[in-house]
Amino acid sequence: MTTLLSTSDVAKIVALQGPEQVFSSMLDYLLSDFLRWQEFDKSARVASHSRTGVIELMPTADSEFYSFKYVNGHPGNPQAGLSTVMAFGALARVATGEPLLISELTLTTALRTAVTSALAARALARPGSRKMALIGNGAQSEFQALAFHCVLGIDTLHVYDVDAGATRKLESNLAWVPGLRVVRFGSTAEAVKGADIVTTVTADKAYATILTPDMIEPGMHVNAVGGDCPGKTELHADVLRAGPVFVEYEPQTRIEGDLQQMPADFAVTELWRVLTGQGQGRRRAEDVTIFDSVGFALEDFSALRWLRDAARRHGIGARIEVAPRTADPKNLFGVVSEARSIQPALARG
Ligand SMILES: NC(=O)c1ccc[n+]([C@@H]2O[C@H](COP(=O)([O-])OP(=O)(O)OC[C@H]3O[C@@H](n4cnc5c(N)ncnc54)[C@H](O)[C@@H]3O)[C@@H](O)[C@H]2O)c1
């Protein structure tokens, strides 16, 4: 039998554990998988582009589990009452191919993206960072804010969105969080002033330059989340030139990240190298570090493992039969209960 998790099931897990526990435990799963990077089958995701957006498949596997995620990115969707990003996926046992878990991954993508951002910032941002600018206050934004608050101790958020309604929604959603001050600004340039960390999580199918070099201050860590597709960027090329740039999986980021603007030999470091101590992170307090995030299949693999364990612990999720269990696995035809009644029809045929 396979476990099926709906969005409300995942929301229930989040409510039962609380954000701190969710972020810290998911971070442990992610970190442990990043630390054994070499054990994974890795490939850039398979993308199907259209005029309005993209639909992508993201597979990966280690020797025990295989996972994939289906995810879209359609920046115009909110105008049609749909989310920009929607996702679902599965975890299967490599030894037999048996599907173990099928889950919603829309909510889970927001959680794992926020945890990945926090994991990267914990390794790359200046120690003692407390102030974060959050540009783009849509679906992902509160998750980013909470992960940075819980994991890094961010206590002040400078927020800006071209849609003032999105910022009001964020303020109202985060009003209950103790120790987190949210300050609204009228432009990106004002919001990023004096920030230790700048997170950009905007959605626009365009070569946007949300951050320009004049906005970058010594010591900043830039967490660029929204430029994740060919023809969709957030950083001016000179922002990338300002610092060492860190990526998840280089072959994928060269196609999809802000990095798509740069020549093929522009130097980047994969995050796993910093996490394992094999690569250099921030050298000096005044360095500018840039995490050009696009989202990699390994993060969904970790999130699916986390979901499976959490669902089991809390007894959440339906059990469904997506593959038949028969006394004789070769007798698949026996599963068709109408087999006998269709025989005369076939004979007549
Ligand atoms: N890197 C990853 O792993 C990852 C994961 C999930 C989503 N994303 C990307 O993150 C982005 C945001 O996703 P979402 O689900 O929050 O989308 P969303 O549509 O819900 O929110 C995006 C927000 O950006 C705002 N915005 C657009 N242009 C802006 C600008 N110039 N300045 C300020 N704000 C601006 C919009 O008004 C909107 O409120 C998308 O591009 C998505 O593809 C990346």
Side-chain angles (χ1 to χ4, degrees), residues 90-150:
L91 186 73
R93 199 184 300 288
V94 165
T96 59
E98 180 191 5
L100 301 169
L101 174 69
I102 297 176
S103 179
E104 88 81 47
L105 291 180
T106 304
L107 196 49
T108 306
T109 291
L111 292 167
R112 74 74 152 134
T113 304
V115 170
T116 305
S117 290
L119 178 63
R122 195 174 70 173
L124 297 170
R126 264 176 312 180
S129 292
R130 292 288 172 266
K131 201 179 285 179
M132 178 164 92
L134 184 49
I135 313 301
N137 302 158
Q140 311 297 317
S141 61
E142 293 91 344
F143 298 89
Q144 290 280 330
L146 278 178
F148 276 83
H149 177 60
C150 294

Side-chain angles (χ1 to χ4, degrees), residues 48-55 74 205:
S48 174
H49 295 279
S50 66
R51 203 175 37 78
T52 50
V54 64
I55 296 176
H74 287 73
K205 203 169 162 48

Side-chain angles (χ1 to χ4, degrees), residues 84 112-113 138-140 161 201-203 210 225-226 228 232 293-295:
T84 296
R112 74 74 152 134
T113 304
Q140 311 297 317
D161 193 299
V201 63
T202 64
I210 306 293
V225 178
D228 61 351
K232 182 161 166 266
S293 161
V294 293

Side-chain angles (χ1 to χ4, degrees), residues 18 32 37 57 65 74 77 104 110 126-127 147 160 167 177 202 204 214 219 222 224 231 236 258 269-270 322 330 344:
S32 76
W37 181 262
L57 277 181
F65 296 118
H74 287 73
N77 268 5
E104 88 81 47
R126 264 176 312 180
Y160 171 68
T167 304
V177 182
T202 64
D204 195 0
D214 51 300
V222 177
H236 187 287
D258 281 285
T269 303
E270 287 184 332
V322 291
K330 292 189 180 181

Side-chain angles (χ1 to χ4, degrees), residues 227-229 233 252-261 292 294:
D228 61 351
C229 190
T233 61
Q252 184 178 313
T253 311
R254 291 231 175 251
I255 301 166
E256 301 178 353
D258 281 285
L259 193 57
Q260 66 189 272
Q261 312 169 64
D292 183 4
V294 293

Side-chain angles (χ1 to χ4, degrees), residues 18 20 33 80 90 124 127 150 172 176 185 197 205 234 247 271 281 289:
E20 243 164 82
D33 289 338
L124 297 170
C150 294
S172 140
W176 61 274
F185 286 86
I197 297 174
K205 203 169 162 48
E234 292 185 312
V247 301
L271 179 61
T289 48

